[in-house]
Amino acid sequence: LATALASSAGVAQFEDELRRRLKSLDAYRQGGDRQSLLSLWSNSPIKIIRKTAAPLYVPYPSSPLVVGIQPGVLGTLSG
């Protein structure tokens, strides 16, 4: 996502099921995905520095998240 944001004005994310997206956060590493999503929400700059690639910096990332959810499932997300 960061690579796409570096070369465009913004990238929209579409997810047909909000519950699945929320449950998949941090599935592979603790604190990574959830923190990244919150940083995108607050429009914080993205900085990625890796040994195997050139540093990547996106000063104003824009990546809206468009989701859908069924009314009966909405109540299971509280608490």
Side-chain angles (χ1 to χ4, degrees), residues 35-59:
Q35 192 63 35
S36 297
L37 189 63
L38 289 172
S39 294
L40 277 175
W41 174 78
S42 65
N43 202 29
S44 298
I46 297 173
K47 294 181 273 186
I48 298 176
I49 301 172
R50 299 185 186 221
K51 292 181 181 180
T52 58
L56 181 66
Y57 180 72
V58 183

Side-chain angles (χ1 to χ4, degrees), residues 5-19:
L5 286 170
S7 62
S8 68
V11 177
Q13 302 176 68
F14 294 94
E15 184 71 48
D16 63 344
E17 186 60 49
L18 175 64
R19 183 175 168 193

